[in-house]
Amino acid sequence: MTNNSIKVFAPATVANVACGFDIFGFAVDNPGDELILKKANHKGVKILSIEGDDGRLPLDAERNTAGIAIIKFLEAIGEEGQGFEMNLKKLMPLGSGLGSSAASSVAGVFAANELMGRPLAQKDLLPFAMEGERIACGSAHADNVGPSLMGGFVVIRSYEPLDIIQLKTPQELYATIVHPHIEVNTKDARNILKREISLKNTITQMGNVAGLVAGLMLPDYDLISRSLVDVIIEPIRSILIPQFDDVKNAALENGALGCSISGSGPSMFALSKDLFTANRVGKAMQDGFAKVGIGSECYVSGINQAGPVVLG
């Protein structure tokens, strides 16, 4: 980092975490996005290059998640005249359910805040990162950008006003993420959801949400396992993921505490209470997809407590 240039990394995230649709999310160590941001003499944000997206992401800053996050940040601090040039490197697949758009948004606004001398506290950057999500999928949700920006496991208690809580998690808790080589569009995954749910399912889901929070904080692994159940979203979205039931069962049979969809999919995640189990679960999940000829990547990590970091 210099006074005029910075390279940062922002982590991928698992959102929803089974029962916590739009209110739970946690950060992982890998994958993520790298971004180089430099101050420029011209006004506005200019995206010089994007790697790893197969040419799919816009170079127009106002239509790019990282670009719009920086633009909104500069407007908020009264520095619209400040120029930036950006190089973005995508280190995760798009449309993966791993918070790809969120990682870019967070990397952009975090880097800009650093170069401007940190005029805002890190948690106060969240609304600008959320604007990147609005560009990406039409909804300014925080369950990906929240953990990517703040690290750890977060709860979005309220959106109006925005109220985010960070939960302590057991050090021995590990996440396994398997990304099958298929794509699920976030907007499509939202559009298939029901607009009304039964009182019975609401009560069950509320119990699981409360149980998962308690299980993480105690910590109580049996309670975490019993609570990693989604009776509202997963039954609908799982139809978009081939082999979902077989892959989930493989994870549970190999010792996972629970297994569900990461974000809107197609990635699936599992939580385990040690690294050995997490790696075994990953292999079993990948084997489940491979049975029908679907390749995949597997990522195993603890819960990332750092959020975005300066590189080099």
Side-chain angles (χ1 to χ4, degrees):
M1 176 179 174
T2 68
N3 290 333
N4 294 309
S5 177
I6 189 173
K7 183 178 182 180
V8 304
F9 170 86
T13 48
V14 170
N16 301 337
V17 196
C19 54
F21 179 69
D22 273 8
I23 62 170
F24 283 166
F26 64 82
V28 294
D29 293 330
N30 63 92
D33 282 353
E34 290 181 2
L35 182 144
I36 297 174
L37 193 67
K38 298 179 181 179
K39 286 185 176 179
N41 293 326
H42 57 73
K43 181 180 178 181
V45 179
K46 184 176 182 180
I47 302 175
L48 301 181
S49 68
I50 302 176
E51 297 180 51
D53 69 326
D54 295 325
R56 295 166 57 187
L57 297 180
L59 292 172
D60 179 356
E62 292 194 353
R63 296 192 300 114
N64 180 280
T65 61
I68 195 65
I70 296 173
I71 290 170
K72 295 297 183 181
F73 164 74
L74 292 174
E75 290 175 355
I77 65 170
E79 294 284 356
E80 295 97 326
Q82 175 63 57
F84 283 113
E85 294 181 347
M86 178 202 313
N87 298 86
L88 177 61
K89 188 173 183 179
K90 301 293 297 180
L91 299 176
M92 69 175 102
L94 277 65
S96 59
L98 298 177
S100 175
S101 59
S104 297
S105 298
V106 166
V109 73
F110 173 78
N113 192 54
E114 291 289 307
L115 288 182
M116 297 302 290
R118 300 182 186 172
L120 297 181
Q122 193 157 315
K123 65 181 178 61
D124 294 330
L125 302 176
L126 190 57
F128 313 117
M130 289 170 64
E131 288 303 310
E133 293 288 68
R134 191 189 305 278
I135 290 291
C137 66
S139 173
H141 56 96
D143 51 344
N144 287 115
V145 290
S148 185
L149 178 66
M150 300 167 66
F153 191 110
V154 304
V155 178
I156 318 300
R157 191 205 65 81
S158 169
Y159 280 91
E160 295 181 4
L162 189 60
D163 187 3
I164 295 187
I165 304 120
Q166 289 177 284
L167 298 181
K168 290 184 179 180
T169 54
Q171 290 186 348
E172 300 83 3
L173 191 67
Y174 283 85
T176 302
I177 302 172
V178 173
H179 170 246
H181 294 166
I182 59 175
E183 188 167 330
V184 173
N185 183 277
T186 302
K187 290 181 180 179
D188 292 340
R190 280 189 172 265
N191 288 338
I192 66 169
L193 298 179
K194 296 178 180 178
R195 295 297 175 258
E196 296 181 359
I197 55 178
S198 70
L199 179 60
K200 178 182 177 182
N201 281 347
T202 300
I203 293 170
T204 299
Q205 198 87 333
M206 289 170 63
N208 287 332
V209 166
L212 183 53
V213 170
L216 291 170
M217 296 183 71
L218 284 171
D220 182 329
Y221 289 106
D222 287 338
L223 180 55
I224 290 171
S225 181
R226 297 197 304 272
S227 303
L228 281 169
V229 178
D230 176 8
V231 299
I232 295 175
I233 306 300
E234 181 185 299
I236 299 172
R237 282 185 168 173
S238 61
I239 64 174
L240 300 175
I241 304 174
Q243 289 293 100
F244 176 85
D245 289 337
D246 288 347
V247 171
K248 179 175 179 175
N249 289 334
L252 298 176
E253 289 168 0
N254 280 273
L257 297 170
C259 177
S260 190
I261 303 168
S262 178
S264 57
S267 292
M268 295 176 62
F269 82 95
L271 292 179
S272 302
K273 59 182 177 181
D274 59 70
L275 180 58
F276 177 81
T277 302
N279 282 314
R280 183 176 64 197
V281 165
K283 183 180 185 306
M285 293 173 69
Q286 286 191 287
D287 287 347
F289 282 118
K291 287 179 180 178
V292 292
I294 299 176
S296 62
E297 287 93 29
C298 180
Y299 308 95
V300 177
S301 113
I303 307 301
N304 179 330
Q305 302 295 334
V309 293
V310 178
L311 299 176

